[in-house]
């Protein structure tokens, strides 16, 4: 009977948390531990990562049958590299992230991590290798400590502490009368966008994955907080294969490679300097964003 009620209970919990808007998509998938879109192949092996390379090979994908979003996309992220994906709204940037985390399977083509097709390995082993820092970091209605430790089952107090330090949220936590035991969310402390983001980064550090998926989230933050968070993310992503979805080009100018996605196709790719020289879509987007930020700073004066 308990077995029977557990999923219902879980769903109730998911429903409540979603309603409260304090849960992220990855966490939700972990919680219900079932997946309507994708299934493990029978006797699928675990993903084993020695060199965390990512390859998309001619990936075609659409959410609906008659509307293709990614139209034969190929690219590679070498182990330890930082690759940023940019492109107009609706180009398919977040879709790439969702496919890499295997919320969906491609209609054709393959996605490989360290040479292994991610559709052929267990979802659990795949997701254990990827840390997501999402656009809107959302937290459980639990203590700050719980929210950080959630990154990995069995995380120790020392690990949680070290992660909080590395993500620069420790001084803030130490100033709270109840420290790591402080409840967050509706029942407790309301965290700012930047603080939530730091808790999410700490959670990812506890997980300690070889691959990082960053969904740039800077629109909600003021520019000083944004710069601080970016510096933290930079430190955290050293030595990890990082795929960053970026909206503001200024934040990714030093990426090893920038992929410019346009209508589900790779329109351009190269370093910031190379793409500027090319004078194509990236150069155009860069010029527009520069003009916008100049206009903003003039308006602020
Ligand atoms: P943005 O910069 O605005 O976040 P994006 O490049 O990340 O855009 P995606 O979120 O990948 O774009 O979406 C690509 C296209 O897929 C869009 O046209 C969007 O409407 C569509 N799409 C996204 N999610 C779904 C979904 N769950 N069901 C159906 N269509 C979807």
């Amino acid at each position: 009977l308990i077995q029977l009620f557990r999923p219902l209970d879980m769903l109730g919990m998911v429903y409540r948390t979603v309603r409260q808007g304090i849960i992220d998509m990855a966490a939700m998938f972990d919680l219900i531990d079932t997946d309507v879109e994708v299934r493990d192949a029978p006797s699928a092996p675990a993903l084993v990562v020695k060199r965390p390379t990512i390859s998309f090979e001619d990936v075609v994908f659409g959410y609906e049958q008659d509307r293709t979003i990614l139209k034969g996309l190929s690219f590679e992220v070498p182990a330890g590299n930082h690759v940023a994906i940019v492109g107009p709204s609706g180009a398919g940037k977040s879709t790439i992230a969702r496919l890499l985390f295997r919320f969906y399977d491609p209609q054709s083509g393959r996605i490989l991590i360290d040479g292994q097709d991610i559709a052929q390995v267990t979802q659990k082993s795949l997701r254990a290798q990827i840390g997501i820092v999402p656009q809107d970091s959302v937290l459980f209605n639990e203590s700050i400590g719980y929210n950080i430790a959630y990154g990995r089952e069995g995380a120790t107090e020392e690990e949680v502490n070290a992660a909080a330090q590395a993500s620069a949220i420790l001084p803030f936590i130490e100033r709270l009368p109840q420290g790591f035991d402080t409840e967050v969310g509706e029942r407790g402390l309301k965290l700012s966008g930047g603080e939530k983001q730091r808790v999410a980064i700490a959670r990812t550090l506890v997980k300690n994955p070889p691959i990082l998926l960053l969904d740039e989230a800077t629109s909600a933050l003021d520019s000083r907080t944004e710069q601080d968070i970016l510096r933290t993310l930079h430190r955290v992503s050293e030595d990890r294969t990082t795929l960053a979805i970026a909206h503001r080009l200024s934040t990714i100018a030093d990426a090893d490679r920038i992929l410019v996605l346009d209508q589900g196709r790779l329109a351009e790719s190269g370093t910031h300097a190379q793409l500027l020289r090319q004078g194509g879509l990236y150069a155009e987007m860069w010029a527009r964003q520069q003009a916008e930020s100049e206009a903003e700073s003039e308006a602020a004066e």
Side-chain angles (χ1 to χ4, degrees), residues 166-167 201 204-205 212 231-238 240:
S167 65
I201 295 170
T204 304
L205 282 174
L212 271 187
R231 262 196 297 278
T232 309
L233 279 175
H234 238 251
R235 260 199 329 270
V236 166
S237 60
E238 268 169 29
R240 294 176 212 265

Side-chain angles (χ1 to χ4, degrees), residues 63-64 67 69 87-95 98 104 247:
Y63 296 92
E64 291 137 9
R67 192 166 160 241
I69 305 293
S89 179
K93 301 182 293 292
S94 304
T95 302
R98 289 180 204 127
Y104 306 92
H247 298 103

Side-chain angles (χ1 to χ4, degrees), residues 116 217 257:
Q116 298 146 76
R257 207 150 72 96

